[in-house]
Amino acid sequence: MYVTKSTFFKTFSLFKQPMNELPQDFVSFTKNLFKDEYEDFISSLQEEVPVSIRINPDKILSSPPYSTIPWTKNGYYLPERPPFTFDPLFHAGTYYVQEASSMFPEQVFSTYIHEPVRMLDLCAAPGGKSSHALSLLPEGSLLVSNEVIRSRAQILTENLAKWGKENVIITNNDASHFNKLPGFFDVILVDAPCSGEGMFRKDPEAVRQWSPENVQLCAERQQRILADIWVSLKPGGLLIYSTCTYNTVENEENIKWLTSSFDAETLPVPTEKEWQVSTPFHPHCYRFFPHKTKGEGFALTVIRKTETEEKGKSLFLKKGKQLFKAPEQSKKSIQNPERFVFDELNQHIIAIPSDAYEAYQLLKKYLRIVEAGLSPGEIKGKDFIPSPALAFSINLNREAFPSVEIDWSTAIRYLKKEAIVLPPETPRGHVLLAYQHIPVGFVKNIGNRANNLYPQEWRIRSQYIPKEKVKIGR
């Protein structure tokens, strides 16, 4: 189920509906599903929603003072939900607000993915699992992060730009478009659109929209997605299938359909007893229930493609295409530019890791690419204009720009896209702003004022400002 960016910024109203206000069909199926545990399950829906974050290990090196999520290295439970909107470090990509159960795919990576891979996150917005994957994939890997709905693809682009990794390509395509790439991916994650039962206590709208007919519709759509994407998974490759729903129709029954329709087998994922992850209906379908684990409803299964030969047409790319010649300013703005191949995409300069360039060319041939690699900026006239994403990149060359350290109130004004005042000794030109030594964006200092270059669509829109500064994860 899609969770909008605004969901991360507000304090959720707790799900307090009495049991008799739940859809009767939902009550009936959950009674049958949980049996003796049903009353515990219903009680858990009245409890506060756990708040959790996952820190960016490329930007925060110290552990925050919170209790850890046991199935992930960098996940933490917060004691309460703060106003994340007003923490500049949130906007700088030092951590991601993510539901704890959804961090479980890390166990799949640590168990099965040890060499560089090409990975597809098919239903990626708003970016939680993609940003997590970028922190876990072996060096030399490439992530293709896809979202079919264009507006959500823009949110995905923002969140991944702020995460700061360069080995990612963001696409805006339907699942069926990927069958033009037979055997292209080693790993595919399908966090499928679902009926969202696991989100009931944080999203009352999910309760109102629930019906048996919608469950069946979701299951049929999930099967279409899996069938469309299957050809692009290489023989021996892994498909990670997950939902945030409880029913077996969208989980175990779909897994049974997939393994009976294609050459496929399910794989085990190691768990610890104290995690209380359940496998009640299939030995390899891992279930998170809110009355057992500290998190929301979640289900995950790993499937290996057991076919021995690739099917479909072979991919072919003509050689000898002249490469884009990048301006020197764009090369100087990033570290180790020799590691990248430069190109032009959507009228701005991009830098693709050299070992991913051929894959990028193939993807550009068959898919709609929204963003790719690292974006240094663009040339306007004789000027090099650094991109907003460059400020967040872990490959930013900070020596290429003068930098000014700003306080919390100045950072909030900047993130609201308001005018700010720089120290009088600040050099003219493009200046990098940093909060607690973490880059938050660029301004152009023209002497008597500084033009705020923070993107309009990324700005803080709320008129509320906390009395005290928000401090999380540092």
Side-chain angles (χ1 to χ4, degrees):
M1 181 178 180
Y2 178 69
V3 181
T4 65
K5 184 182 174 185
S6 62
T7 305
F8 294 136
F9 293 164
K10 69 182 180 181
T11 301
F12 291 107
S13 59
L14 300 181
F15 176 65
K16 296 293 186 181
Q17 295 194 65
M19 185 174 63
N20 60 8
E21 290 187 21
L22 291 170
Q24 186 55 50
D25 286 322
F26 178 79
V27 172
S28 298
F29 107 73
T30 49
K31 279 184 176 179
N32 184 59
L33 192 72
F34 293 108
K35 295 183 169 55
D36 294 342
E37 298 177 6
Y38 176 73
E39 294 300 331
D40 292 336
F41 166 72
I42 288 297
S43 294
S44 72
L45 298 185
Q46 313 299 324
E47 297 173 0
E48 291 189 5
V49 177
V51 182
S52 50
I53 63 170
R54 179 174 40 77
I55 65 171
N56 187 337
D58 291 302
K59 296 189 177 186
I60 292 184
L61 301 180
S62 59
S63 300
Y66 305 119
S67 60
T68 59
I69 298 171
W71 45 85
T72 180
K73 286 183 179 179
N74 295 309
Y76 297 86
Y77 292 108
L78 303 189
E80 58 185 2
R81 178 172 291 274
F84 293 112
T85 304
F86 298 98
D87 181 12
L89 294 180
F90 169 72
H91 296 275
T94 63
Y95 64 91
Y96 194 96
V97 184
Q98 186 176 15
E99 203 285 305
S101 302
S102 295
M103 302 182 201
F104 183 64
E106 180 164 328
Q107 297 303 313
V108 181
F109 284 75
S110 62
T111 303
Y112 293 108
I113 304 173
H114 306 295
E115 302 293 333
V117 295
R118 290 176 180 172
M119 176 179 170
L120 169 65
D121 183 358
L122 181 67
C123 311
K129 292 182 178 65
S130 279
S131 61
H132 198 182
L134 287 169
S135 296
L136 298 172
L137 286 170
E139 186 174 352
S141 297
L142 173 66
L143 174 68
V144 177
S145 188
N146 179 74
E147 173 55 47
V148 65
I149 299 175
R150 184 168 297 190
S151 60
R152 296 178 184 176
Q154 296 305 318
I155 295 170
L156 175 66
T157 301
E158 175 187 345
N159 287 334
L160 295 189
K162 291 179 175 180
W163 203 247
K165 300 284 278 189
E166 77 283 354
N167 57 322
V168 59
I169 295 173
I170 300 170
T171 58
N172 174 215
N173 289 86
D174 183 76
S176 61
H177 299 168
F178 288 88
N179 60 28
K180 301 172 184 175
L181 298 162
F184 187 84
F185 296 104
D186 304 282
V187 181
I188 297 177
L189 169 63
V190 178
D191 187 38
C194 68
S195 58
E197 297 157 358
M199 309 295 282
F200 272 13
R201 65 177 171 179
K202 66 164 56 175
D203 185 4
E205 185 61 28
V207 183
R208 289 189 286 270
Q209 292 182 357
W210 188 92
S211 69
E213 293 76 19
N214 189 43
V215 168
Q216 187 60 41
L217 182 66
C218 288
E220 292 170 1
R221 179 170 57 208
Q222 291 151 1
Q223 289 185 10
R224 178 190 70 80
I225 289 171
L226 292 171
D228 284 342
I229 209 68
W230 189 252
V231 69
S232 64
L233 183 65
K234 80 169 189 179
L238 301 180
L239 187 145
I240 306 168
Y241 176 74
S242 64
T243 73
C244 59
T245 204
Y246 300 121
N247 67 75
T248 58
V249 177
E250 298 176 70
N251 294 302
E252 288 82 2
E253 291 181 34
N254 268 349
I255 298 306
K256 182 179 179 180
W257 168 83
L258 180 67
T259 54
S260 62
S261 301
F262 302 95
D263 293 333
E265 62 180 358
T266 60
L267 298 178
V269 180
T271 62
E272 300 292 336
K273 185 177 180 180
E274 56 268 26
W275 300 353
Q276 295 198 66
V277 179
S278 307
T279 55
F281 315 115
H282 187 290
H284 296 155
C285 183
Y286 297 86
R287 296 296 211 113
F288 286 73
F289 297 130
H291 63 291
K292 290 187 173 184
T293 57
K294 191 176 179 181
E296 297 297 80
F298 184 69
L300 179 143
T301 306
V302 181
I303 303 102
R304 176 159 49 205
K305 188 174 188 176
T306 56
E307 294 174 4
T308 56
E309 296 182 2
E310 293 185 13
K311 298 177 181 178
K313 65 178 181 180
S314 299
L315 296 175
F316 177 75
L317 184 66
K318 292 181 180 180
K319 302 292 183 180
K321 181 180 178 180
Q322 186 176 357
L323 300 181
F324 171 77
K325 186 176 181 180
E328 284 302 312
Q329 300 101 309
S330 62
K331 293 182 179 180
K332 291 177 181 178
S333 69
I334 65 176
Q335 301 179 58
N336 305 311
E338 69 280 359
R339 292 179 45 241
F340 297 87
V341 177
F342 291 81
D343 200 358
E344 192 171 26
L345 178 70
N346 301 330
Q347 298 183 330
H348 65 271
I349 303 162
I350 60 171
I352 306 293
S354 299
D355 53 11
Y357 184 71
E358 183 176 347
Y360 159 73
Q361 289 286 79
L362 282 167
L363 291 167
K364 189 166 68 169
K365 181 178 179 180
Y366 294 110
L367 303 176
R368 180 179 183 270
I369 294 180
V370 178
E371 190 57 86
L374 190 166
S375 176
E378 60 182 317
I379 298 294
K380 286 189 176 180
K382 296 182 179 180
D383 292 334
F384 170 70
I385 312 297
S387 75
L390 179 63
F392 306 112
S393 173
I394 62 173
N395 287 288
L396 166 69
N397 177 15
R398 295 187 67 165
E399 300 300 318
F401 303 94
S403 181
V404 172
E405 183 75 13
I406 57 177
D407 60 16
W408 177 78
S409 59
T410 305
I412 295 302
R413 289 199 303 274
Y414 173 75
L415 294 168
K416 289 170 72 72
K417 204 169 172 58
E418 296 176 357
I420 63 170
V421 178
L422 298 177
E425 67 274 14
T426 305
R428 295 194 179 198
H430 291 102
V431 177
L432 180 69
L433 302 184
Y435 173 74
Q436 296 187 15
H437 309 294
I438 301 291
V440 294
F442 289 103
V443 295
K444 186 174 184 180
N445 185 29
I446 57 176
N448 59 338
R449 61 187 173 86
N451 292 337
N452 190 328
L453 301 183
Y454 198 69
Q456 183 77 9
E457 62 273 19
W458 294 3
R459 74 191 189 282
I460 296 174
R461 292 172 172 81
S462 174
Q463 299 303 310
Y464 164 79
I465 297 181
K467 294 181 180 179
E468 298 181 357
K469 72 176 183 180
V470 179
K471 184 178 179 181
I472 303 165
R474 192 173 174 83

